[in-house]
Amino acid sequence: MKKIALASLLAASVFALPLLAALPALAGDTPAPKNAYLYIGWPNDGEVIKNRRFRVWFGLRNMGLAPAGIEWPNAGHHHLIIDRDLPPFDEDIPADNNHLHFGAGQTETVIELEPGVHTLQLMLGDHDHVPHDPPVVSKKITVTVK
């Protein structure tokens, strides 16, 4: 009886392993408090901005800021995502014109956008620019640049 149970368990694991390997990881390895709260302080969701060049400031509660490359518990640095969906939670956050990195621990920036409707969202990255576990992200907001 034990041999049959063991054989069944082994057979099930042989079929399950490929399925488990195909599942994406949910986040990086750096832990974040479950009550961490990341937000865009300005502009507000739905804001109409009259200048193409404007200031964006970032807010963070229940976590700290640390520069990229510095591993510190419950800390990370900001990434501003412009006109894109969130990147995969188990990979480095891209660095390009739509994924701006603030690896020195900055809490605000000035950006310039073409006239039109744009989305902005923040994501906190760990010392290696990987999202925390659980990921710490702001609400995605929409702004209209005149």
Side-chain angles (χ1 to χ4, degrees), residues 70-146:
I70 305 296
E71 191 169 357
W72 195 259
N74 295 323
H77 62 279
H78 296 293
H79 298 81
L80 180 61
I81 302 167
I82 303 170
D83 295 332
R84 293 288 184 267
D85 291 329
L86 292 172
F89 293 152
D90 61 335
E91 296 177 8
D92 292 0
I93 299 166
D96 56 35
N97 290 336
N98 298 99
H99 302 85
L100 306 181
H101 288 237
F102 299 93
Q106 303 96 311
T107 58
E108 64 179 57
T109 190
V110 174
I111 61 174
E112 186 171 332
L113 296 176
E114 294 294 322
V117 177
H118 299 277
T119 61
L120 305 174
Q121 189 169 21
L122 288 172
M123 173 179 264
L124 206 66
D126 70 7
H127 58 285
D128 285 331
H129 304 282
V130 177
H132 292 78
D133 183 17
V136 181
V137 298
S138 74
K139 173 185 166 188
K140 184 186 273 190
I141 69 165
T142 301
V143 297
T144 302
V145 177
K146 291 289 182 174

Side-chain angles (χ1 to χ4, degrees), residues 41-62:
W42 200 89
N44 297 310
D45 190 25
E47 192 89 32
V48 176
I49 301 168
K50 296 183 176 154
N51 296 313
R52 291 179 53 196
R53 188 172 164 83
F54 60 95
R55 184 174 76 111
V56 179
W57 69 266
F58 319 139
L60 177 64
R61 293 186 198 143
N62 304 317

